[in-house]
Amino acid sequence: MAVITIIGAGMMGSALAFPARENGNTVRLVGTPLDREIIDTCRKTNRHPKFTRDFPAGVEYYQIEDVKTALDGAAFVIGGVSSFGVDWFSEEILPIIPEDMPIITVTKGLYDTEDGTLLCYPQLWAERLAARGMKRNLNAIGGPCTSYELVAHDQTEVTFCGSDPDTLRMLRDAMKTDYYHISLSTDVVGIESAVALKNGYALGIALTIGLNQRAFGLDSELHFNSQAAIFGQSVREMAGLLAMRGAGTLDNLCVGAGDLYVTVYGGRTRLVGILLGRGLNIDEAKAELQGVTLESLVVAERVARAVKKKAERGEISIGDYPLLMHIDDILTKKAPVEIPWEKFTKETF
Amino acid sequence: MAVITIIGAGMMGSALAFPARENGNTVRLVGTPLDREIIDTCRKTNRHPKFTRDFPAGVEYYQIEDVKTALDGAAFVIGGVSSFGVDWFSEEILPIIPEDMPIITVTKGLYDTEDGTLLCYPQLWAERLAARGMKRNLNAIGGPCTSYELVAHDQTEVTFCGSDPDTLRMLRDAMKTDYYHISLSTDVVGIESAVALKNGYALGIALTIGLNQRAFGLDSELHFNSQAAIFGQSVREMAGLLAMRGAGTLDNLCVGAGDLYVTVYGGRTRLVGILLGRGLNIDEAKAELQGVTLESLVVAERVARAVKKKAERGEISIGDYPLLMHIDDILTKKAPVEIPWEKFTKETF
């Protein structure tokens, strides 16, 4: 049994306390400066304010000022910040984690540089640390997993990725349960890309739900032909984007397809897509969802921006990504939804 | 504008009368010997008994004894029989269709031979016709399309496949509308396999819904982590099966993934899966759904049988198909549902 320190008491970080603690590990859940009230609540009730189930008995809760105590003697750290917390995590937390203490992050996302290079967070952090003469053992969790279903013990399969197989095996041994199943991969770029790329495409599928509500009424039954058409096109475009990243393997594509599937039903991205499909523009949709964080839209914009830069340099063909480009127009140019269905058809002779 | 003769007045054949007729073609819908009452109803009401919407004005209805009249002058024939009607279609109908009249079938399925070879229906029919010294221009429709959503004009993308690009283009020109989008492919085996292979896997995803109902109550919310885990594994196994058929292209896999997506929500396969997941064995589940035709189960059994034969000969590894094998055990050995989650995990180093 090990000591596991989770930093970030959002839903995903907190959900990982369940398998971690149920395996008999000592689990220390540390809030970020924004999680102060969450930690207070957890201490009082032993339940995360957004969960419907108590934490397993024995999870320990820490405010951020006690983070060093929480790190003392830990076998590894789980980074559970949102994508809006990655800079804080990289500047304030990574440097105080001992060099030999592995870190595994659940933050999904991609960062794009000026020249159109997409970096996943372990890459971004490694670069920033290197600039300060530092190095950490950085790993990540990808794959289809919503926090509230993990808390409910729904059967879940994820992939732990990192550069060192022994570290990955140690992490798996500490975390795997009879409902939390863990694949391992040294293809960090591939796994992290697969699970980030799906964001724009999940929005795309949700658009069709809103379009049908506009056409057939808000209470109309869900239609799936159009969702499935977008799903197929999404898998095609994701395969292209993975190949663009040198990660076009079937393993990565399957992780991406599974993650796309779960995200279509996740809350926030779906809601935005439906509102857009009903006829709102992106500003109106965001206003409707005031206060909801929409990390997925940020990622979709970054991916589209990178694709356009690569296309300008002739490295890829923009015509291979009609769905992503339409989603980008919706997000960045307030374009109305007009899905280019015919562009998805092809002749394979 | 052309004359299009549809043979088989089931839901899918009948649904295709919508785009066909809305494009201004003359459409003749011919019932099989089992469709006699359907044709009577259509004549009286201009509506298929299972649809909630009238046919477009002008569709003509024929009983089977008038099939030759219905074929007279047709530009092509749409075969709309169920998989239980393929023998009848091949023995009774194909021979009376003129040799130069293209045929496009919507019947999805695969037929397995003694040695574990899987044949799609165009292949099976071509072999049978050849044995009688005959030849027909056989094409097929694959891709995610449920009949009732096509009738509702939900945006739909399918693939027409056949050996002759010019025939395929003619068929597309006659059928495509602003809601029915058509890709073309000469990879008949690939497209037909992709859309048939998904049957067992759709059942697999539905199992998790029933398992969760058993664990959390019949009225519990849907969980998607487990559905997504099965979805990812399904895409992986389908890719392997397509490769086994010499059809392991991304195009085919995307058609299969989209078709799997739509089938998870289609009625009958989903229902069986849920009942099995709740704890019924296959006999009990079938009894519960008395009278419902379950073509998908037949296809899943055939595919599993073919895979086992190929594995016995060392041509493939049975260990690559843990989900298909479990589904086969459920269907053929009345095995209880016990999804081998850990077998889906892997190490990619």
Side-chain angles (χ1 to χ4, degrees), chain B residues 287-315:
Chain B
E288 182 94 354
L289 296 172
Q290 213 175 2
V292 174
T293 54
L294 295 167
E295 302 171 62
S296 63
L297 305 188
V298 177
V299 179
E301 283 183 34
R302 287 177 181 168
V303 172
R305 199 158 52 208
V307 164
K308 285 187 282 190
K309 283 183 184 161
K310 283 188 181 286
E312 277 166 21
R313 291 201 301 270
E315 294 169 21

Side-chain angles (χ1 to χ4, degrees), chain A residues 132-280:
Chain A
R132 296 166 70 172
M134 302 171 86
K135 192 173 185 300
R136 293 291 178 274
N137 182 346
L138 295 165
N139 306 273
I141 303 179
C145 179
T146 61
S147 56
Y148 44 98
E149 295 185 359
L150 185 60
V151 168
H153 290 192
D154 189 30
Q155 293 290 332
T156 301
E157 190 202 337
V158 296
T159 301
F160 285 7
C161 56
S163 55
D164 175 41
D166 288 336
T167 300
L168 292 173
R169 291 196 183 104
M170 180 276 291
L171 294 167
R172 179 181 61 192
D173 289 347
M175 296 295 292
K176 76 179 266 196
T177 70
D178 59 0
Y179 63 91
Y180 190 57
H181 309 278
I182 302 169
S183 288
L184 305 181
S185 174
T186 45
D187 186 356
V188 180
V189 169
I191 295 295
E192 288 293 279
S193 298
V195 302
L197 293 174
K198 59 103 205 315
N199 283 302
Y201 294 111
L203 186 80
I205 295 170
L207 292 176
T208 67
I209 303 172
L211 284 170
N212 276 316
Q213 289 180 346
R214 183 158 51 155
F216 303 111
L218 288 184
D219 296 331
S220 59
E221 279 192 12
L222 284 174
H223 289 94
F224 292 96
N225 283 11
S226 47
Q227 289 187 46
I230 300 270
F231 196 96
Q233 179 66 18
S234 298
V235 173
R236 172 185 309 280
E237 294 191 18
M238 284 169 63
L241 294 170
L242 284 170
M244 175 185 96
R245 310 218 64 213
T249 68
L250 179 64
D251 278 334
N252 294 333
L253 189 61
C254 290
V255 170
D259 212 324
L260 176 59
Y261 185 92
V262 87
T263 308
V264 172
Y265 296 94
R268 296 170 291 190
T269 307
R270 179 182 178 92
L271 283 179
V272 187
I274 291 174
L275 292 174
L276 291 166
R278 284 184 195 163
L280 272 58

